[in-house]
Amino acid sequence: MEKNVGSADRVIRIVLGLVLILSPLLNIPAIWSGSVWSYVFMLVGAILVITALVRMCPLYRLLGIDTCSP
């Protein structure tokens, strides 16, 4: 498994992922209450955090993107 997620990209993914996971749980903003969108955003957030931790993004691989510095 070749790494294709760089350090800056990794930090952005972790921060954005945690925001997407925690916002529906904390009901910030109030639109999350009882919505299917809250689960969708939490899933996207979890995917972002996982790809940051393993430093490999399958979508980047398909598109030929590599944010790791050579």
Side-chain angles (χ1 to χ4, degrees):
M1 191 163 59
E2 188 176 323
K3 297 177 182 176
N4 62 2
V5 176
S7 297
D9 190 9
R10 201 170 165 203
V11 170
I12 292 169
R13 285 173 181 266
I14 289 173
V15 170
L16 184 60
L18 290 176
V19 167
L20 288 175
I21 292 170
L22 294 175
S23 291
L25 294 176
L26 299 174
N27 206 18
I28 307 168
I31 62 170
W32 301 114
S33 58
S35 173
V36 173
W37 287 107
S38 63
Y39 296 111
V40 171
F41 283 111
M42 287 172 57
L43 177 65
V44 171
I47 291 170
L48 287 173
V49 170
I50 290 168
T51 57
L53 293 177
V54 297
R55 297 190 73 171
M56 202 285 283
C57 177
L59 184 60
Y60 275 12
R61 183 169 300 234
L62 286 174
L63 298 175
I65 299 172
D66 187 1
T67 59
C68 289
S69 57

